[in-house]
Amino acid sequence: MLATPIAASANSPVLILPGMADSLGIRTATATWLVTVFAWAMAVGTPLMAGLLRRRGLGATLRLSAALVVAGTAVVAVAPWLQLAMAGRAAQAVGGAGLITAAMSLAGSVRRMGVITAGFGILGAVGPLLGSAIAGTASWRVSLAVGAVALLALPAVMRRADLSAPARTTPFDGRGAALLVLAATALVLIPRHPLPAVAAALLTSSLLALHIRSHPTGFVPAALLRTRAFTLSALLACAFATSYFTLLFTVPQLLSDRTDWSTATIGAGQLAALLVGSVLSMVLAAAAAGLGRPRVLTILLVVGALAPLIAVLTPWAPLLLLVATPAVITASAGQATLAVYATQAAPSAQRPTAIGLFNLCYQLGGAFGPAIAALITLGG
């Protein structure tokens, strides 16, 4: 409950982007910035919150995360223009990133991580239809506030978990954190502004690499990047998330263009496909230990390739609707299993950092996906 409502908030704009755009007096393609900035803030906020968790402990992380969610939700509720609404969404996302990082740090096993990531899939599946229903009865602004439900879990977590701050061993690497944020920001902007963003990404990544070489135990530990299991897991998670979020935002628009189905029909169909996929992802995560790592990776790669292939090749609208099932299986089960593989490869003292950097890669996919979908279906 602490982690998963943020998935509903992230996906709630999927079916209501045109209404949001009309309310703010902007084009639908421009309104997708509210989705992109949310994913960007989740991406850069995750390693920052993981750093806070590592240095200040669970209590400080939960308190700051809750404050950001409350403040961001209040801003979104009253923002009269896009830029202010984007600031509110960013605050919601950074706060949500802290709650997710805290929950994943408490999970420990693939099975419990699978419950969390399947929860992401289920709440993410419900998100588009829930957002559309809330917008229809109240306002799109209320739709973007559903992530605040996670705050209901805070009292129980803070009562039962160890909130003490760990002993500090090294000073905070502010330069490394800043360079990581700049590099992630440049990467997020590549689908929208390819040439300047690629140049900025190369520059900031180079500066970050030089910084890591001179500060190998800093914000981004060099030893972690040299660990093959961590780097491969993080890169696969980014690829799976990019595919999933691209399809999540592209398929409804393609169905709207190719059929006479209503928004509610498309949302209900996608919801059913996503729910089936989320349940299957939890089954796969639970069975991962018995299957073994090579078999799990093979299943993820095969199922992950099916989703975009079906989307590109199928001429039938109902089959296009089913694309969401293999996409969410790969994203949710992949996040659960790969997160554990990535963190198990790290020394115990660096596991919060490993969780943060792994989730940064996953959330980068969450930023790339909607931007790519905008280029495909909304004309950029």
Side-chain angles (χ1 to χ4, degrees), residues 211-250:
H211 179 79
I212 293 171
R213 178 173 295 181
S214 60
H215 297 78
T217 59
F219 191 80
V220 182
L224 194 60
L225 299 183
R226 296 191 191 105
T227 305
R228 186 179 178 184
F230 173 82
T231 53
L232 289 178
S233 296
L235 291 173
L236 278 175
C238 182
F240 293 155
T242 300
S243 175
Y244 167 59
F245 283 102
T246 299
L247 293 170
L248 183 69
F249 283 84
T250 302

Short mmCIF file of all heavy atoms in Angstrom, two decimals, residues 211-250:
data_model
loop_
_atom_site.label_atom_id
_atom_site.label_comp_id
_atom_site.label_asym_id
_atom_site.label_seq_id
_atom_site.Cartn_x
_atom_site.Cartn_y
_atom_site.Cartn_z
N HIS A 211 34.01 11.83 -12.73
CA HIS A 211 33.80 12.01 -11.30
C HIS A 211 33.82 10.67 -10.57
O HIS A 211 34.41 10.56 -9.48
CB HIS A 211 32.47 12.73 -11.05
CG HIS A 211 32.18 12.93 -9.60
ND1 HIS A 211 32.75 13.93 -8.84
CD2 HIS A 211 31.37 12.24 -8.75
CE1 HIS A 211 32.32 13.86 -7.60
NE2 HIS A 211 31.47 12.84 -7.52
N ILE A 212 33.19 9.66 -11.15
CA ILE A 212 33.18 8.33 -10.52
C ILE A 212 34.60 7.78 -10.42
O ILE A 212 34.97 7.17 -9.41
CB ILE A 212 32.27 7.37 -11.31
CG1 ILE A 212 30.81 7.82 -11.20
CG2 ILE A 212 32.41 5.94 -10.80
CD1 ILE A 212 29.86 7.07 -12.11
N ARG A 213 35.41 8.03 -11.46
CA ARG A 213 36.79 7.53 -11.42
C ARG A 213 37.58 8.19 -10.29
O ARG A 213 38.39 7.52 -9.63
CB ARG A 213 37.47 7.82 -12.77
CG ARG A 213 38.92 7.38 -12.82
CD ARG A 213 39.49 7.54 -14.21
NE ARG A 213 38.85 6.66 -15.17
CZ ARG A 213 39.18 6.59 -16.46
NH1 ARG A 213 40.15 7.35 -16.93
NH2 ARG A 213 38.56 5.76 -17.26
N SER A 214 37.33 9.48 -10.04
CA SER A 214 38.08 10.17 -8.99
C SER A 214 37.44 10.02 -7.61
O SER A 214 38.07 10.24 -6.60
CB SER A 214 38.21 11.66 -9.32
OG SER A 214 36.93 12.26 -9.44
N HIS A 215 36.14 9.64 -7.58
CA HIS A 215 35.42 9.41 -6.31
C HIS A 215 34.71 8.05 -6.39
O HIS A 215 33.48 8.00 -6.51
CB HIS A 215 34.41 10.52 -6.05
CG HIS A 215 35.02 11.87 -5.87
ND1 HIS A 215 35.46 12.64 -6.93
CD2 HIS A 215 35.27 12.61 -4.74
CE1 HIS A 215 35.94 13.78 -6.48
NE2 HIS A 215 35.85 13.78 -5.16
N PRO A 216 35.46 6.96 -6.36
CA PRO A 216 34.85 5.62 -6.59
C PRO A 216 33.87 5.17 -5.53
O PRO A 216 33.11 4.23 -5.76
CB PRO A 216 36.07 4.69 -6.64
CG PRO A 216 37.12 5.41 -5.88
CD PRO A 216 36.90 6.88 -6.12
N THR A 217 33.86 5.82 -4.37
CA THR A 217 32.90 5.44 -3.32
C THR A 217 31.85 6.52 -3.11
O THR A 217 31.24 6.60 -2.05
CB THR A 217 33.63 5.16 -1.99
OG1 THR A 217 34.35 6.34 -1.59
CG2 THR A 217 34.60 4.00 -2.13
N GLY A 218 31.65 7.37 -4.12
CA GLY A 218 30.74 8.49 -3.99
C GLY A 218 29.28 8.11 -4.20
O GLY A 218 28.87 6.97 -3.94
N PHE A 219 28.49 9.05 -4.71
CA PHE A 219 27.04 8.84 -4.86
C PHE A 219 26.74 7.67 -5.78
O PHE A 219 25.77 6.94 -5.58
CB PHE A 219 26.40 10.12 -5.40
CG PHE A 219 24.91 10.12 -5.35
CD1 PHE A 219 24.24 10.40 -4.16
CD2 PHE A 219 24.15 9.82 -6.47
CE1 PHE A 219 22.85 10.38 -4.10
CE2 PHE A 219 22.76 9.80 -6.42
CZ PHE A 219 22.12 10.08 -5.23
N VAL A 220 27.56 7.49 -6.82
CA VAL A 220 27.44 6.34 -7.72
C VAL A 220 28.70 5.49 -7.52
O VAL A 220 29.75 5.81 -8.07
CB VAL A 220 27.32 6.78 -9.19
CG1 VAL A 220 27.14 5.56 -10.10
CG2 VAL A 220 26.15 7.74 -9.37
N PRO A 221 28.63 4.41 -6.75
CA PRO A 221 29.82 3.62 -6.45
C PRO A 221 30.37 2.92 -7.69
O PRO A 221 29.63 2.25 -8.42
CB PRO A 221 29.33 2.60 -5.41
CG PRO A 221 28.05 3.16 -4.88
CD PRO A 221 27.45 3.93 -6.00
N ALA A 222 31.65 3.06 -7.92
CA ALA A 222 32.28 2.43 -9.08
C ALA A 222 32.18 0.92 -9.01
O ALA A 222 31.97 0.25 -10.03
CB ALA A 222 33.74 2.86 -9.17
N ALA A 223 32.31 0.36 -7.82
CA ALA A 223 32.26 -1.10 -7.68
C ALA A 223 30.91 -1.65 -8.13
O ALA A 223 30.83 -2.74 -8.69
CB ALA A 223 32.53 -1.49 -6.24
N LEU A 224 29.83 -0.88 -7.89
CA LEU A 224 28.50 -1.33 -8.29
C LEU A 224 28.37 -1.37 -9.81
O LEU A 224 27.80 -2.31 -10.38
CB LEU A 224 27.45 -0.40 -7.68
CG LEU A 224 26.01 -0.87 -7.68
CD1 LEU A 224 25.86 -2.16 -6.91
CD2 LEU A 224 25.11 0.21 -7.07
N LEU A 225 28.91 -0.36 -10.49
CA LEU A 225 28.83 -0.31 -11.94
C LEU A 225 29.66 -1.40 -12.59
O LEU A 225 29.39 -1.80 -13.73
CB LEU A 225 29.29 1.07 -12.44
CG LEU A 225 28.47 2.26 -11.97
CD1 LEU A 225 28.99 3.54 -12.59
CD2 LEU A 225 26.98 2.09 -12.29
N ARG A 226 30.69 -1.87 -11.90
CA ARG A 226 31.52 -2.94 -12.45
C ARG A 226 30.91 -4.32 -12.22
O ARG A 226 31.42 -5.32 -12.73
CB ARG A 226 32.92 -2.90 -11.82
CG ARG A 226 33.72 -1.64 -12.13
CD ARG A 226 35.15 -1.80 -11.70
NE ARG A 226 35.86 -0.53 -11.75
CZ ARG A 226 36.19 0.19 -10.67
NH1 ARG A 226 35.89 -0.28 -9.46
NH2 ARG A 226 36.82 1.33 -10.80
N THR A 227 29.82 -4.38 -11.47
CA THR A 227 29.18 -5.65 -11.19
C THR A 227 28.25 -6.02 -12.34
O THR A 227 27.26 -5.34 -12.61
CB THR A 227 28.37 -5.56 -9.88
OG1 THR A 227 29.22 -5.12 -8.84
CG2 THR A 227 27.78 -6.91 -9.52
N ARG A 228 28.58 -7.10 -13.05
CA ARG A 228 27.86 -7.46 -14.27
C ARG A 228 26.38 -7.71 -14.01
O ARG A 228 25.52 -7.28 -14.79
CB ARG A 228 28.51 -8.69 -14.88
CG ARG A 228 27.94 -9.08 -16.23
CD ARG A 228 28.66 -10.29 -16.79
NE ARG A 228 28.07 -10.71 -18.05
CZ ARG A 228 28.44 -11.78 -18.74
NH1 ARG A 228 29.41 -12.55 -18.26
NH2 ARG A 228 27.85 -12.09 -19.87
N ALA A 229 26.07 -8.41 -12.92
CA ALA A 229 24.66 -8.72 -12.63
C ALA A 229 23.85 -7.45 -12.43
O ALA A 229 22.70 -7.35 -12.87
CB ALA A 229 24.57 -9.60 -11.39
N PHE A 230 24.45 -6.45 -11.79
CA PHE A 230 23.73 -5.19 -11.56
C PHE A 230 23.50 -4.45 -12.87
O PHE A 230 22.37 -4.02 -13.16
CB PHE A 230 24.48 -4.30 -10.58
CG PHE A 230 23.88 -2.93 -10.45
CD1 PHE A 230 22.80 -2.73 -9.63
CD2 PHE A 230 24.36 -1.86 -11.20
CE1 PHE A 230 22.20 -1.48 -9.53
CE2 PHE A 230 23.78 -0.61 -11.11
CZ PHE A 230 22.70 -0.42 -10.27
N THR A 231 24.57 -4.26 -13.66
CA THR A 231 24.43 -3.45 -14.87
C THR A 231 23.49 -4.09 -15.88
O THR A 231 22.65 -3.41 -16.49
CB THR A 231 25.80 -3.20 -15.51
OG1 THR A 231 26.47 -4.46 -15.71
CG2 THR A 231 26.67 -2.33 -14.61
N LEU A 232 23.59 -5.41 -16.08
CA LEU A 232 22.70 -6.08 -17.03
C LEU A 232 21.25 -6.02 -16.55
O LEU A 232 20.32 -5.80 -17.35
CB LEU A 232 23.13 -7.53 -17.24
CG LEU A 232 24.43 -7.74 -18.02
CD1 LEU A 232 24.77 -9.23 -18.11
CD2 LEU A 232 24.34 -7.13 -19.42
N SER A 233 21.03 -6.22 -15.26
CA SER A 233 19.67 -6.16 -14.72
C SER A 233 19.07 -4.77 -14.92
O SER A 233 17.91 -4.62 -15.31
CB SER A 233 19.68 -6.52 -13.23
OG SER A 233 20.09 -7.85 -13.04
N ALA A 234 19.87 -3.74 -14.66
CA ALA A 234 19.37 -2.36 -14.78
C ALA A 234 19.06 -2.01 -16.23
O ALA A 234 18.03 -1.38 -16.52
CB ALA A 234 20.40 -1.39 -14.20
N LEU A 235 19.92 -2.42 -17.16
CA LEU A 235 19.68 -2.12 -18.57
C LEU A 235 18.45 -2.86 -19.11
O LEU A 235 17.66 -2.30 -19.88
CB LEU A 235 20.91 -2.49 -19.40
CG LEU A 235 22.14 -1.60 -19.17
CD1 LEU A 235 23.35 -2.15 -19.92
CD2 LEU A 235 21.86 -0.16 -19.59
N LEU A 236 18.28 -4.12 -18.71
CA LEU A 236 17.09 -4.86 -19.13
C LEU A 236 15.82 -4.23 -18.56
O LEU A 236 14.80 -4.12 -19.26
CB LEU A 236 17.19 -6.32 -18.67
CG LEU A 236 18.01 -7.26 -19.54
CD1 LEU A 236 18.10 -8.63 -18.88
CD2 LEU A 236 17.41 -7.38 -20.94
N ALA A 237 15.87 -3.80 -17.31
CA ALA A 237 14.70 -3.16 -16.70
C ALA A 237 14.32 -1.90 -17.46
O ALA A 237 13.14 -1.62 -17.69
CB ALA A 237 14.98 -2.84 -15.24
N CYS A 238 15.32 -1.12 -17.89
CA CYS A 238 15.04 0.09 -18.66
C CYS A 238 14.38 -0.26 -20.00
O CYS A 238 13.41 0.39 -20.41
CB CYS A 238 16.35 0.86 -18.89
SG CYS A 238 16.13 2.41 -19.79
N ALA A 239 14.89 -1.28 -20.67
CA ALA A 239 14.32 -1.68 -21.95
C ALA A 239 12.89 -2.18 -21.80
O ALA A 239 11.99 -1.80 -22.58
CB ALA A 239 15.19 -2.77 -22.59
N PHE A 240 12.64 -3.02 -20.80
CA PHE A 240 11.29 -3.53 -20.58
C PHE A 240 10.31 -2.41 -20.25
O PHE A 240 9.17 -2.39 -20.73
CB PHE A 240 11.29 -4.57 -19.46
CG PHE A 240 12.03 -5.84 -19.78
CD1 PHE A 240 12.57 -6.62 -18.77
CD2 PHE A 240 12.18 -6.27 -21.09
CE1 PHE A 240 13.25 -7.80 -19.06
CE2 PHE A 240 12.85 -7.44 -21.40
CZ PHE A 240 13.39 -8.21 -20.37
N ALA A 241 10.75 -1.47 -19.40
CA ALA A 241 9.86 -0.37 -19.01
C ALA A 241 9.57 0.55 -20.19
O ALA A 241 8.44 1.03 -20.35
CB ALA A 241 10.50 0.43 -17.87
N THR A 242 10.57 0.81 -21.02
CA THR A 242 10.35 1.66 -22.20
C THR A 242 9.30 1.05 -23.11
O THR A 242 8.38 1.74 -23.58
CB THR A 242 11.67 1.84 -22.97
OG1 THR A 242 12.64 2.46 -22.11
CG2 THR A 242 11.46 2.71 -24.20
N SER A 243 9.41 -0.26 -23.37
CA SER A 243 8.44 -0.94 -24.21
C SER A 243 7.04 -0.87 -23.60
O SER A 243 6.05 -0.54 -24.29
CB SER A 243 8.85 -2.40 -24.40
OG SER A 243 7.87 -3.12 -25.12
N TYR A 244 6.95 -1.15 -22.30
CA TYR A 244 5.65 -1.18 -21.63
C TYR A 244 4.96 0.18 -21.67
O TYR A 244 3.79 0.30 -22.05
CB TYR A 244 5.83 -1.65 -20.19
CG TYR A 244 4.63 -1.43 -19.29
CD1 TYR A 244 3.40 -1.99 -19.60
CD2 TYR A 244 4.73 -0.65 -18.14
CE1 TYR A 244 2.29 -1.80 -18.79
CE2 TYR A 244 3.62 -0.45 -17.32
CZ TYR A 244 2.42 -1.02 -17.65
OH TYR A 244 1.33 -0.82 -16.84
N PHE A 245 5.68 1.24 -21.28
CA PHE A 245 5.04 2.55 -21.21
C PHE A 245 4.77 3.13 -22.59
O PHE A 245 3.80 3.88 -22.77
CB PHE A 245 5.90 3.50 -20.38
CG PHE A 245 5.80 3.26 -18.90
CD1 PHE A 245 6.79 2.59 -18.22
CD2 PHE A 245 4.69 3.69 -18.19
CE1 PHE A 245 6.69 2.34 -16.85
CE2 PHE A 245 4.57 3.46 -16.84
CZ PHE A 245 5.57 2.78 -16.16
N THR A 246 5.58 2.79 -23.58
CA THR A 246 5.27 3.22 -24.94
C THR A 246 3.95 2.60 -25.40
O THR A 246 3.07 3.30 -25.93
CB THR A 246 6.40 2.80 -25.90
OG1 THR A 246 7.62 3.42 -25.51
CG2 THR A 246 6.08 3.23 -27.33
N LEU A 247 3.80 1.30 -25.19
CA LEU A 247 2.58 0.61 -25.60
C LEU A 247 1.37 1.06 -24.78
O LEU A 247 0.26 1.18 -25.31
CB LEU A 247 2.77 -0.90 -25.48
CG LEU A 247 3.79 -1.50 -26.45
CD1 LEU A 247 4.07 -2.95 -26.09
CD2 LEU A 247 3.31 -1.39 -27.89
N LEU A 248 1.58 1.33 -23.49
CA LEU A 248 0.48 1.74 -22.63
C LEU A 248 -0.19 3.02 -23.13
O LEU A 248 -1.42 3.16 -23.08
CB LEU A 248 1.00 1.95 -21.20
CG LEU A 248 -0.04 2.31 -20.14
CD1 LEU A 248 -0.95 1.12 -19.85
CD2 LEU A 248 0.63 2.77 -18.86
N PHE A 249 0.63 3.95 -23.63
CA PHE A 249 0.08 5.22 -24.11
C PHE A 249 -0.25 5.21 -25.60
O PHE A 249 -1.05 6.02 -26.06
CB PHE A 249 1.07 6.37 -23.80
CG PHE A 249 1.05 6.80 -22.37
CD1 PHE A 249 1.80 6.13 -21.43
CD2 PHE A 249 0.28 7.86 -21.96
CE1 PHE A 249 1.80 6.51 -20.09
CE2 PHE A 249 0.25 8.26 -20.63
CZ PHE A 249 1.01 7.58 -19.69
N THR A 250 0.37 4.29 -26.36
CA THR A 250 0.15 4.26 -27.80
C THR A 250 -1.10 3.48 -28.18
O THR A 250 -1.89 3.91 -29.04
CB THR A 250 1.36 3.63 -28.51
OG1 THR A 250 2.53 4.38 -28.19
CG2 THR A 250 1.17 3.62 -30.02
#
